[in-house]
Amino acid sequence: MYGTWASLRHPDDPVDASWERSKRLILEAEELGYESTLVAQHTINPFGDNFAQLEAVTATAALGALTKRVELIVAIKPALVHPVIFAKQALQIEEISGGRMSINLVNGWFKPEIERAGIPLLEHDERYVYGQEWIDLVERLLTGERVSHSGKYFHVDEYTLRPLSRFRARPIIYIGGESEPARNLAVKSADVWFLNAQPCQQVTEMIAAVAARERTRPPLKYAMPAFVITRETDEEAQVALEAAWDLANRDEVEKQALRAGIDKNVVMMESAQRRPHIGTNGGTSAGLVGSYETVAKRILDFTEAGVETFMLQFQPLEAEMRRFAKEVMPRVRSLCEGRSTLATHHGL
């Protein structure tokens, strides 16, 4: 939760990561019919530590108390929180929210917030070894097991947590990443795999490749972020896209600082940078730019490829979130017949 998604200098969308704005956004999004929101875990803002940044777990707990229906996906970096502590926090948010919390395991891509805290930053592939051990422990604790564990990174002795969730066996687990270790982790431990925003053909191929792998859990589901620019006509949407590029290009100093903090071995970040885009994690690369009908049909294409949850980004956030809900959401629901989940995106 660090404010804006495209330009830091949009005249109608100033950077504002305040609790007051986040509260207003989530309540309006729920009223408009959005079904999920994702709350990023960053201890410092990736665009620079002069920008504000809300803390993810406490913010999610507060959002859980305010809302009644929306799914609350908290994105957690295992390096920043011990699995026993996070499992306890997750169970508390389950109780506060009535069983609406989900976990997005993010194995880490932004080096400064880890290294400056004096926490060792493991190499890319080793972070997935760490993440696998971490999520295994979290899941066992969430389901009420009395856990004793002696592994490579964690040692837990006769630990059990109460109270357990009164609403379900455990929260939904989302895992992102497109590298081979990330795919292996998703197949083994995720309920939902997060992909980057990218053209539908690539998404189709990636889903098919992962779906073909042997898996002991129920079938994996799929989610994708996307930055939306939609207007009455395709031509008007292209004009809006050009204006968005003009604004986004003014942020080059902050973007250079952001890129300098990215681990160069993170495949998901590297793949997103191959395609110029607005927004995060591929943003406009999904092609959700066009008329209301065009965007709705493209969402249907992704739905038919297997994507069930769309983490949507907008700017200016409030106005475009309302536009999408009024103009596109009814068309999407008609086309998809309830097969897709539409979400607001508070941060990755």
Side-chain angles (χ1 to χ4, degrees), residues 40-265:
Q41 185 191 39
H42 285 295
T43 54
I44 55 177
N45 191 303
F47 289 106
D49 54 17
N50 54 313
F51 292 108
Q53 173 70 52
L54 292 187
E55 196 284 317
V57 176
T58 51
T60 301
L63 294 175
L66 287 171
T67 54
K68 294 181 173 60
R69 179 183 53 79
V70 69
E71 177 191 22
L72 303 162
I73 308 170
V74 58
I76 293 294
K77 298 181 179 72
L80 297 178
V81 58
H82 192 281
V84 168
I85 302 303
F86 177 71
K88 185 63 176 177
Q89 292 171 326
L91 287 170
Q92 184 69 32
I93 298 174
E94 274 285 281
E95 182 67 20
I96 291 169
S97 67
R100 291 182 288 116
M101 178 194 176
S102 295
I103 301 165
N104 176 207
L105 179 64
V106 180
N107 278 293
W109 57 271
F110 188 57
K111 297 186 294 181
E113 66 183 339
I114 297 173
E115 293 177 335
R116 291 181 192 172
I119 300 170
L121 180 66
L122 299 172
E123 292 299 320
H124 177 271
D125 289 8
E126 191 63 22
R127 289 202 296 271
Y128 284 90
V129 176
Y130 185 98
Q132 183 69 72
E133 189 174 343
W134 188 93
I135 195 64
D136 286 346
L137 281 170
V138 168
E139 185 172 3
R140 291 169 67 188
L141 290 162
L142 288 174
T143 53
E145 183 179 339
R146 183 175 294 276
V147 176
S148 290
H149 170 84
S150 182
K152 186 173 183 179
Y153 291 106
F154 300 105
H155 300 273
V156 178
D157 183 24
E158 290 291 308
Y159 230 102
T160 186
L161 300 178
R162 295 293 185 277
L164 298 176
S165 174
R166 296 183 291 118
F167 308 98
R168 52 186 175 172
R170 62 160 175 79
I172 296 168
I173 297 172
Y174 291 74
I175 292 176
E178 295 179 359
S179 66
E180 192 63 19
R183 296 180 190 215
N184 290 338
L185 181 58
V187 169
K188 183 176 180 181
S189 298
D191 302 301
V192 185
W193 183 34
F194 258 130
L195 297 86
N196 266 335
Q198 52 203 294
C200 193
Q201 182 59 40
Q202 280 92 325
V203 169
T204 301
E205 293 169 0
M206 293 174 68
I207 288 176
V210 169
R213 300 190 182 200
E214 184 177 351
R215 179 175 161 90
T216 59
R217 296 173 181 251
L220 194 61
K221 296 182 179 181
Y222 305 93
M224 186 187 75
F227 193 100
V228 179
I229 298 177
T230 188
R231 297 291 186 270
E232 289 190 7
T233 67
D234 290 334
E235 292 75 18
E236 288 175 297
Q238 286 301 313
V239 171
L241 175 62
E242 291 170 10
W245 269 116
D246 179 63
L247 284 167
N249 288 334
R250 301 178 192 180
D251 298 334
E252 189 56 32
V253 172
E254 290 86 358
K255 289 178 180 178
Q256 285 179 359
L258 172 65
R259 289 192 289 268
I262 296 174
D263 180 355
K264 305 305 181 188
N265 295 313

